Amino acid sequence: MQKKINWAVSSLLVTAFVTGCATSNAPEGGNQATSRGITAPTNEIIFPETGSPNVPYTQGTSPSQVKSTNAKSSAQPTPSRSAKSGLANRKDVQAFADRVARNNNLDRDWVLDILSRTELKPKIVEAMNRPAEGMIWGQYRPIFITDKRINDGVKFYHTHQKALERAYNQYGVAPEVIVAIIGVETSYGQNRGNWAVLDALATLAFDYPRRAEFFSKELENFFVILNETKLEPFSYKGSYAGAMGFPQFMPSSYLAYAVDFDGDGLRDLWNNPVDAIGSVANYLAKHGWVQDGTVALEVKIPTGNTAHLQYKHTGRLVPPKYSVATLKAAGVQTYAHNSNKANLFEFEMEKNNPAASQWWLGFQNFYSITRYNHSPLYALAVHQLAEGIKARK
């Protein structure tokens, strides 16, 4: 995603903005998230690189993909925080601990002990309540398509070329697209968020009623992760919405799509870029990525033509609907094969100046990227960053 603001500096500066779709990276069919685990309202997008969520609105946790079991263990991680916040004294928090322990065969006292040291952060609620800001492609693009981000992407590509090639061979996802998603999300791991994931998720689960149900489930999922990884609970950092690691997965997305891609026995998205590479590839593959398929193509519309407007995408994103032949018959000029299916998108370069707009066809792989973050702007930014990296590598 792009913004003419230094999103990398502060996760609280990342505000949702209106675009007609939501961000997303949570498991399909599970969390009502926009793409990787967090669901924004259908008219909002949450920016990466700032603590914003990226969750698929249909991601559903798949237990078969979780590495370890949820069996109780005497080796459950011990919190490093000594000060207690009093949160565990709340009846709703105690009921949550009861449910989490019962549903996942965890030790209730362990869950409550962690929650007793968890702190609610009013600034997170303030950030979530911040009014959405509208942004057009002409404003969005310069945030993500920069020489620095392209050059950093080339460096990331060469550093992890073997893992990227292996991901392509295993999942079929283009290496440059994997790199671009990590680049848009966290500047290749440079901006992974500074909030304790427990504080962020607990704040939104217990002090943000509008999305309490969703974040309560994400907090439950995070306890499952803690039980799996056995690491210190408050050592996990992420965005203000609880998105985690290089790819900014929500906990539900971690459980469903994170993979141990280097074979060390851990699914580490916080510190291991190789696991992040495999996990992003797995995520896209599970959301319909077509190996070697086209992502998007810019097209021309003859001056004065209006027939194409009936096919212009509006509203919730859907898989490609129209044959290229149908779009050509409506005046769309493209060399794409007639039998391919695509959706037609208008990307505004200037406000209130339709003549300056760009028109693009989004194919199945474009749609797959929008499962990561439910925004055409996001998908086109990933595509163009990927093309820039590919051209320079």
Side-chain angles (χ1 to χ4, degrees), residues 41-231:
T42 53
N43 69 333
E44 293 180 358
I45 285 184
I46 297 180
F47 278 96
E49 264 190 53
T50 61
S52 55
N54 291 330
V55 185
Y57 79 95
T58 38
Q59 274 176 260
T61 300
S62 176
S64 65
Q65 294 173 304
V66 180
K67 173 179 169 285
S68 58
T69 67
N70 294 333
K72 290 181 182 178
S73 167
S74 59
Q76 285 169 327
T78 302
S80 62
R81 286 184 184 173
S82 57
K84 295 196 174 184
S85 64
L87 180 62
N89 297 328
R90 286 174 45 167
K91 290 185 178 180
D92 59 335
V93 175
Q94 293 172 4
F96 169 84
D98 290 341
R99 185 177 74 251
V100 170
R102 181 176 61 252
N103 291 349
N104 302 283
N105 195 25
L106 300 177
D107 185 331
R108 178 183 182 273
D109 291 339
W110 172 70
V111 174
L112 271 178
D113 184 51
I114 291 175
L115 290 171
S116 73
R117 304 167 197 274
T118 300
E119 300 174 355
L120 302 185
K121 302 294 185 180
K123 286 186 178 180
I124 290 177
V125 175
E126 292 173 13
M128 294 294 283
N129 286 332
R130 197 169 287 138
E133 67 178 275
M135 184 170 288
I136 62 172
W137 177 240
Q139 298 168 314
Y140 189 90
R141 185 183 188 277
I143 301 166
F144 299 100
I145 314 303
T146 65
D147 281 343
K148 175 173 172 49
R149 201 178 297 258
I150 292 172
N151 290 334
D152 286 352
V154 172
K155 292 176 184 177
F156 186 91
Y157 174 89
H158 286 299
T159 300
H160 303 290
Q161 186 170 354
K162 289 184 179 179
L164 289 162
E165 290 175 350
R166 186 157 54 88
Y168 172 75
N169 291 332
Q170 183 169 337
Y171 297 108
V173 180
E176 62 271 14
V177 172
I178 299 171
V179 174
I181 283 180
I182 295 174
V184 168
E185 291 298 331
T186 60
S187 285
Y188 314 103
Q190 297 176 55
N191 308 304
R192 283 166 276 178
N194 295 311
W195 294 94
V197 173
L198 277 166
D199 291 344
L201 293 176
T203 297
L204 296 170
F206 301 124
D207 267 11
Y208 190 59
R210 185 167 72 89
R211 302 299 307 287
E213 181 178 357
F214 170 75
F215 285 105
S216 179
K217 182 60 180 174
E218 290 298 335
L219 181 58
E220 178 177 351
N221 288 330
F222 190 66
F223 274 100
V224 175
I225 293 172
L226 291 178
N227 188 55
E228 173 185 325
T229 59
K230 310 300 183 190
L231 299 178

Side-chain angles (χ1 to χ4, degrees), residues 282-299:
N282 182 45
Y283 187 97
L284 291 176
K286 293 294 193 300
H287 288 83
W289 184 271
V290 177
Q291 184 169 353
D292 300 327
T294 302
V295 174
L297 288 174
E298 188 173 7
V299 298

Side-chain angles (χ1 to χ4, degrees), residues 317-383:
L317 289 161
V318 296
K321 291 175 60 175
Y322 305 111
S323 70
V324 171
T326 297
L327 296 172
K328 285 181 178 179
V332 175
Q333 297 177 350
T334 177
Y335 60 81
H337 194 279
N338 285 347
S339 62
N340 290 342
K341 285 193 173 182
N343 289 329
L344 180 64
F345 295 91
E346 179 184 14
F347 290 90
E348 295 178 88
M349 295 301 296
E350 301 173 9
K351 289 185 177 180
N352 304 315
N353 184 11
S357 292
Q358 295 180 359
W359 290 85
W360 287 75
L361 296 183
F363 298 90
Q364 174 58 39
N365 287 347
F366 186 90
Y367 179 73
S368 296
I369 295 172
T370 67
R371 300 309 83 202
Y372 203 91
N373 182 310
H374 293 189
S375 162
L377 298 180
Y378 177 90
L380 190 57
V382 167
H383 170 62

